[in-house]
Amino acid sequence: MGKNPVTVTVTGAGGQIAYAALFRIAAGDMLGPDQPVALKLLEIPEGVRAAEGVALELTDSAFPLLQNVEVTTDIAAGFDGTNVALLVGARPRTKGMERGDLLEANGGIFAPQGRAINDYAASDVRVLVVGNPANTNALIAQRNAPDVPAERFTALTRLDHNRAAGILAEHVGAPVADVEGVSVWGNHSPTQYPDLTHATVGGRPAYEVADPEWIRGPYVERVAKRGAEIIEVRGSSSAASAAGASIDHIRDWVLGTGERWTSVALPSEGWYGVPEGLVCSFPARSSGGRWSVVEDLSMDEFSAGKLAASVAELEAERDAVEELLG
Ligand code: NAD
Ligand code: LMR
C-alpha cells in the first residue's frame, strides 16, 4: 500500500520563492520520491490570482506524487491538518534596506499564523520561516503557538550555509561536494558568522587550504552580505537558491542528515551560551525527525565575539517585537 499524503502549506504562494519551490516539492525533491503530497497555497487577496495560476500549472505538470492543490486566503483553512509549513509570505527588502527594516512590515504576519498553526495544524507539524527577518518572525510564530513544541519552529539559515560552502569551494577551486563542517551562527543578517574553524575541503582543514586572513575578513563579509549582493546584481532578492535551501532544510529535518551537519536556526536551549528561546542559527544534525545541535565544538575568541554580536542583534529584535510575542 502507498504512503498517506503529507500536507504541505506554503504561504506567499504567488511570490517568487514559492514559484521556485512548489514544483520541486510536488516532484518529490523535499520529502522523497515515494511520498505523496497535498499542497495548500496560502495567499493574501492581492496575491491570490498569482497563486491560482501556479495551481493551474501544477495541475498541468501531472506530478505523480501530487494528490491535491488547494488555494486559499483563509488562514485556518491554510493550516488545517498541515504537517509541514513553509512560511514564505512576507515583503522582501529592496536595495539599501537591511532585513531588520522589514520587522515592522512583516512581524504582524507571524503572530496570527502562529496561532492558526497552534489551533489547526497536525500534531507533528514542522515549521520553517523564510520570510524576513526570518529568525525573529519564527520567534513570533513560536511564541503564539504554545501547544506546539518550540523545537518545531525553525528559520532558514540553510541558504547562508549553502552560500558559505559554495563561496569557499569556488575560491579554492574545489567541488562544493568536498566541503564539510561549515557552521553558520546567529542571525540571518549581516551579523551572521559563517565559521570555517571545523570545516574541511577534501579532508584538509579549510584554514590550511585558504588564507586565514581571507577567511576571517572578506570571506565572512561576502557570505554575510550575499543577500544584498544578489539584490544588487539580479535586481530582486534570491529566489531559486532560497527555495532550494528551504527544500534542503525540510528534507534533512524529515529524512535525516547522517553524520554530516548543516546549519539551522531554532529556539536556543542555552547552547553555546545563547539565551534560551532566541531563534539562533547553530550547526545541527537531524535524526528521527529531530534536530540536535552539535554541542561540543571548540570556539576561539574571534568566533565567540562574532556569535555574541549576532546574539545581541537577535535580542534587540526580540525586544522590538515584545508586544507580538504572545
Ligand atoms: P515576493 O514578494 O515575490 O512574494 C511574497 C508573497 O507573499 C506575495 O505574493 C505576497 O502576496 C505574499 N504574502 C504577503 N503577506 C502574506 C500573508 N500574510 N500570507 C500569505 N501570503 C502573503 O517575495 P519572495 O521573493 O518570495 O520573498 C518572500 C520573503 O522571503 C521575503 O521576506 C524575503 O526577504 C524572504 N527571503 C528569505 C530568505 C532566507 O534565507 N531566510 C531568502 C530569500 C528571501
Ligand atoms: C537572502 O539572504 O537572499 C534573503 O534574505 C533576501 C535578502 O533580503 O537578502
Side-chain angles (χ1 to χ4, degrees):
M1 214 174 78
K3 293 178 168 181
N4 289 328
V6 167
T7 299
V8 178
T9 299
V10 178
T11 73
Q16 55 158 359
I17 294 176
Y19 195 68
L22 284 162
F23 297 85
R24 291 190 56 199
I25 296 170
D29 288 359
M30 187 169 84
L31 296 169
D34 61 347
Q35 178 57 65
V37 289
L39 288 172
K40 283 177 180 273
L41 312 188
L42 181 62
E43 257 295 349
I44 50 174
E46 297 91 303
V48 77
R49 283 299 281 169
E52 283 166 0
V54 177
L56 297 179
E57 284 199 78
L58 284 163
T59 300
D60 296 351
S61 303
F63 290 113
L65 292 172
L66 187 57
Q67 303 277 304
N68 189 48
V69 184
E70 178 186 343
V71 181
T72 184
T73 55
D74 181 296
I75 186 168
F79 291 111
D80 189 28
T82 200
N83 306 107
V84 175
L86 301 185
L87 307 189
V88 179
R91 219 184 105 189
R93 65 172 164 158
T94 44
K95 252 185 234 181
M97 289 174 82
E98 285 303 344
R99 298 182 191 90
D101 299 338
L102 293 170
L103 206 47
E104 206 177 317
N106 289 342
I109 294 172
F110 293 87
Q113 290 190 354
R115 285 194 289 275
I117 288 168
N118 190 72
D119 293 349
Y120 302 106
S123 60
D124 68 348
V125 66
R126 291 181 174 79
V127 182
L128 169 62
V129 177
V130 177
N132 277 319
N135 299 53
T136 298
N137 289 338
L139 175 70
I140 294 169
Q142 183 269 315
R143 291 282 289 269
N144 283 276
D147 303 330
V148 179
E151 65 182 32
R152 304 283 189 71
F153 284 84
T154 61
L156 187 69
T157 51
R158 180 60 172 270
L159 177 56
D160 308 292
H161 181 95
N162 290 350
R163 287 168 171 166
I167 290 171
L168 173 64
E170 185 178 61
H171 182 77
V172 302
V176 72
D178 285 1
V179 176
E180 276 188 48
V182 169
S183 307
V184 173
W185 304 89
N187 198 2
H188 175 62
S189 80
T191 68
Q192 70 179 259
Y193 174 45
D195 175 13
L196 297 185
T197 309
H198 303 280
T200 55
V201 183
R204 288 182 59 208
Y207 267 84
E208 283 176 26
V209 180
D211 177 5
E213 296 287 313
W214 174 79
I215 292 177
R216 294 193 161 196
Y219 170 76
V220 166
E221 165 115 0
R222 184 128 197 235
V223 174
K225 296 192 174 162
R226 185 66 149 195
E229 186 180 348
I230 303 284
I231 292 169
E232 175 68 33
V233 175
R234 185 178 176 263
S236 58
S237 72
S238 63
S241 55
S246 305
I247 287 168
D248 291 346
H249 176 115
I250 298 290
R251 188 193 56 235
D252 280 354
W253 193 356
V254 173
L255 302 177
T257 53
E259 273 312 295
R260 74 185 169 80
W261 73 68
T262 182
S263 303
V264 174
L266 74 177
S268 175
E269 290 182 14
W271 304 296
Y272 295 93
V274 176
E276 253 179 70
L278 276 190
V279 177
C280 179
S281 185
F282 297 97
R285 298 186 180 92
S286 168
S287 159
R290 292 188 67 166
W291 291 113
S292 318
V293 167
V294 183
E295 287 192 65
D296 52 359
L297 297 175
S298 60
M299 206 180 246
D300 64 13
E301 216 176 302
F302 175 82
S303 300
K306 295 292 284 178
L307 175 58
S310 203
V311 165
E313 182 183 50
L314 284 171
E315 290 181 303
E317 287 185 12
R318 177 200 58 199
D319 294 347
V321 296
E322 186 69 53
E323 79 285 1
L324 295 174
L325 294 183

